[in-house]
Amino acid sequence: MSSAARAGGQGKATEKPTRPTVGEECRTIVRNATFGVLSTISASEPSGFPVGSVVAYAGDEKGRPLMFLSTLSKHTRDLQVDDKASLTVATGLGSAEDARVTLVGPVKRVEDSQEVQRIRERFAQAHPDAFWIDFGDFQPHRMERVLQARFVGGFARAGTASEEDYLHAMPDPVAQFTGPVAKHMNEDHETQTILCVKHFCDVDAESAKIVALDRLGMDVQVSYDGSTHRVRLPFLHPAEDRKAIKDRIVELIKIATAALAETLEDPQQSS
């Protein structure tokens, strides 16, 4: 397999960027998830150590995490002493290949009544069954500034987005449709995916499963010679909405199919 394919490089499909920026990747993960691990500096013994707690959150229009935290919880008491915190969010916990991001910044209680109402509405959209936010001990909190976003996208893929890069990035418009698109393609059209991987990534895969997608392409988990890897299959043109995903995939399939037909007509091309 070529190094470009393994690292998500150009392949035959395009010489344009084949992945979103680190800031965009981070904003996308934060938008699409609703739970994360909030790490605070312990104010109780053993003090001074970071301690993680699973919390529900929702992202605001700037990608800042909004949380309702109980005053009875130790992590809330930690923040009252030291507001330095981080929130780690992952696309899954199945393997080291799953993308994740850690946001670093100060988490403070929000007390302005108008802001509290906006946060309540946004949080309720992400967590419609969160009846507990009406309990008296749960108070709205927000990471006031995302000072840094540390991103890991899988093997040999990592980066850091600055506060400015994160703030000005936009979440990917189609990544949220990965589930239904991947299910359909993997169940009904895996043969075509294998064909595309062969043509664009130069990989003779025995199986090829789409595991993630964004406006610029797809991550495909391929198996061959007893090993499993992920390769990047870039689109020829960006997919800005759900319908465009189908158009971009069909475009790749047509090109790969035509190339296969030419090879069968002229066997010397494959030698």
Side-chain angles (χ1 to χ4, degrees):
M1 177 171 57
S2 68
S3 59
R6 186 191 298 272
Q10 313 305 323
K12 301 178 184 178
T14 178
E15 292 303 320
K16 299 176 182 178
T18 62
R19 287 191 181 278
T21 66
V22 170
E24 291 168 341
E25 297 258 30
C26 294
R27 287 292 300 269
T28 299
I29 294 173
V30 171
R31 181 202 57 188
N32 291 345
T34 53
F35 285 86
V37 175
L38 176 68
S39 294
T40 55
I41 305 300
S42 178
S44 58
E45 293 298 330
S47 62
F49 289 89
V51 180
S53 304
V54 175
V55 298
Y57 80 92
D60 69 6
E61 70 282 355
K62 297 180 179 179
R64 297 178 300 180
L66 311 172
M67 298 160 279
F68 276 81
L69 305 178
S70 171
T71 55
L72 303 178
S73 299
K74 284 192 174 183
H75 50 252
T76 308
R77 297 175 185 176
D78 293 341
L79 292 171
Q80 292 170 351
V81 177
D82 189 339
D83 62 16
K84 297 185 184 68
S86 68
L87 182 73
T88 299
V89 182
T91 58
L93 296 174
S95 75
E97 293 279 9
D98 293 324
R100 57 269 193 197
V101 59
T102 297
L103 307 181
V104 179
V107 174
K108 301 178 182 291
R109 178 177 171 180
V110 178
E111 301 192 46
D112 179 83
S113 59
Q114 291 185 338
E115 285 195 82
V116 168
Q117 183 58 33
R118 286 195 293 270
I119 291 174
R120 177 179 291 272
E121 292 173 356
R122 177 68 190 92
F123 193 89
Q125 289 177 354
H127 301 274
D129 297 326
F131 59 89
W132 39 266
I133 66 174
D134 292 322
F135 294 173
D137 58 300
F138 279 87
Q139 301 299 325
H141 288 69
R142 176 173 59 207
M143 184 174 285
E144 292 296 333
R145 296 170 58 192
V146 177
L147 300 177
Q148 186 181 81
R150 299 182 180 182
F151 170 73
V152 178
F155 178 73
R157 289 188 59 225
T160 300
S162 67
E163 180 177 12
E164 183 177 4
D165 290 340
Y166 182 83
L167 178 64
H168 294 294
M170 294 297 292
D172 188 86
V174 300
Q176 59 190 312
F177 304 123
T178 290
V181 173
K183 183 176 187 295
H184 170 66
M185 289 296 298
N186 295 340
E187 291 181 354
D188 300 332
H189 301 287
E190 184 178 5
T191 301
Q192 285 86 349
T193 304
I194 291 174
L195 184 62
C196 289
V197 167
K198 166 61 178 174
H199 178 70
F200 292 107
C201 304
D202 195 24
V203 176
D204 288 314
E206 298 162 6
S207 69
K209 303 288 189 182
I210 297 171
V211 294
L213 63 85
D214 53 64
R215 60 187 287 273
L216 298 181
M218 304 181 290
D219 290 341
V220 183
Q221 184 164 294
V222 298
S223 297
Y224 63 95
D225 294 337
S227 63
T228 301
H229 301 281
R230 288 193 185 185
V231 298
R232 181 66 172 176
L233 187 57
F235 294 143
L236 298 181
H237 309 285
E240 301 296 350
D241 55 42
R242 183 166 183 171
K243 179 183 180 301
I245 298 172
K246 178 180 178 181
D247 296 339
R248 299 291 82 81
I249 293 175
V250 169
E251 195 172 36
L252 295 179
I253 292 173
K254 286 182 176 179
I255 292 174
T257 302
L260 175 62
E262 290 181 8
T263 300
L264 294 176
E265 292 176 3
D266 184 6
Q268 290 185 351
Q269 291 189 34
S270 62
S271 60

